[in-house]
Amino acid sequence: MEVRERERQTNREILTRLIDLTVYLARQGLAFRGDNDSNSSNNRGNFLELVNLFSRYDSVLKMHTENIGRVKVTKKRLQVSLLSNRSQNGLITALGTYIRREIQREIQEAEMYSTLLDETTDVSHKEQVSFVVRYLHQKQIKERFIKVCNIDTTTGQELENTVVSLLQKNGLELKNMYGQGYDGAANMSGMYKGLQARICTLNEKAFYVHCKAHCLNLVLVEASKSNKHFVTFFNLVEKLYAFRSGS
């Protein structure tokens, strides 16, 4: 029993350090893995390279990496390595679940929230929408990114189904929504079949506001048309984009 308890404690210490490394990479927006994570690779990816770096100064990680090396030499199966791609994905997923729960808790304490939704097309020409929640918590205005979703179409009906589904999956009640922020496209801002109108039929308190960032973009677009140099420049950029995306 004492041996097993020591193994559990050692695994907890190893896992604590790996969680800290995972949080660091996530906060910095760095990739976890590279093209080749084999032992012969000069660069095995940020996660494994950080583990090797810290193992020089940390006795717990040093002992863990040395045990892994000995097992590979003897060709025995290591019971727990915690360094595989699957383990890395598990750490990322667990941290994501924890963050979502914290966001949900804060929104439930705030009781009122607004939603921000924007659509875009990725490099593979698939439609996506990003979903953000804005709320007041402990006298601080917070905007929290929730999810990016793939959608089949961008109709008001499809977007409504997406919003309602996201709210349900995140434990948010539609009746507590007091604001909506979208662009001015018809499928978003339409008075009858737009997303904002459909949400208002479900909750009349969900006041729609045209996204100020999109308003500023429209102003800049119109202002740039008054100068021929701007027109020439953006026409060139558009042609380069069309050429690059079609090649």
Side-chain angles (χ1 to χ4, degrees):
M1 293 298 292
E2 293 182 0
V3 174
R4 289 187 178 180
E5 184 59 33
R6 284 199 300 269
E7 289 180 354
R8 292 193 188 99
Q9 183 60 34
T10 300
N11 287 335
R12 291 191 188 102
E13 293 178 357
I14 295 169
L15 188 58
T16 300
R17 287 156 173 78
L18 297 181
I19 289 174
D20 288 340
L21 292 179
T22 303
V23 171
Y24 170 77
L25 292 174
R27 281 180 173 173
Q28 299 302 115
L30 299 174
F32 279 66
R33 297 188 286 274
D35 296 331
N36 184 1
D37 59 1
S38 64
N39 293 329
S40 60
S41 174
N42 293 325
N43 186 350
R44 303 176 64 198
N46 291 323
F47 184 84
L48 294 178
E49 292 297 334
L50 279 175
V51 170
N52 290 334
L53 175 63
F54 279 89
S55 64
R56 300 178 186 177
Y57 309 99
D58 184 84
S59 60
V60 175
L61 285 179
K62 181 179 180 180
M63 181 179 64
H64 184 57
T65 55
E66 287 178 348
N67 289 338
I68 294 174
R70 283 195 294 268
V71 169
K72 288 182 178 179
V73 171
T74 58
K75 296 183 179 181
K76 292 182 179 179
R77 183 178 179 181
L78 183 66
Q79 188 173 2
V80 178
S81 73
L82 300 175
L83 302 181
S84 65
N85 295 349
R86 184 176 180 181
S87 295
Q88 295 176 40
N89 292 340
L91 289 172
I92 296 170
T93 301
L95 290 173
T97 301
Y98 173 78
I99 291 172
R100 280 194 296 271
R101 287 176 179 174
E102 285 297 302
I103 294 174
Q104 293 168 9
R105 180 186 61 80
E106 290 184 353
I107 296 175
Q108 290 171 358
E109 291 178 357
E111 296 182 354
M112 297 182 293
Y113 66 90
S114 299
T115 58
L116 303 173
L117 193 79
D118 193 19
E119 58 182 291
T120 186
T121 305
D122 65 9
V123 293
S124 60
H125 304 289
K126 293 183 179 180
E127 292 289 345
Q128 295 180 328
V129 291
S130 55
F131 185 69
V132 176
V133 177
R134 180 183 173 96
Y135 56 95
L136 181 68
H137 184 256
Q138 296 181 353
K139 299 182 180 180
Q140 290 185 343
I141 298 175
K142 296 185 177 182
E143 288 185 359
R144 295 290 184 249
F145 169 77
I146 302 298
K147 193 174 183 180
V148 171
C149 300
N150 292 322
I151 54 176
D152 297 326
T153 62
T154 57
T155 63
Q157 180 67 61
E158 178 74 13
L159 293 172
E160 177 194 3
N161 295 337
T162 300
V163 171
V164 172
S165 176
L166 285 170
L167 293 177
Q168 292 175 347
K169 290 180 180 178
N170 288 276
L172 305 179
E173 296 189 35
L174 183 59
K175 66 179 182 180
N176 293 331
M177 182 193 296
Y178 281 77
Q180 311 175 66
Y182 318 123
D183 60 30
N187 61 338
M188 293 287 196
S189 63
M191 295 178 59
Y192 303 105
K193 295 184 179 181
L195 174 61
Q196 66 90 12
R198 293 176 179 274
I199 295 296
C200 283
T201 58
L202 302 175
N203 178 11
E204 60 182 10
K205 296 177 293 185
F207 183 73
Y208 166 68
V209 176
H210 191 172
C211 174
K212 299 304 178 185
H214 284 88
C215 290
L216 178 60
N217 180 70
L218 292 174
V219 171
L220 293 175
V221 169
E222 292 301 318
S224 65
K225 292 179 181 179
S226 63
N227 188 302
K228 65 178 183 180
H229 298 293
F230 279 112
V231 174
T232 303
F233 172 75
F234 284 111
N235 283 339
L236 177 61
V237 172
E238 185 176 0
K239 291 178 180 179
L240 288 174
Y241 171 77
F243 174 76
R244 178 66 181 84
S245 61
S247 61

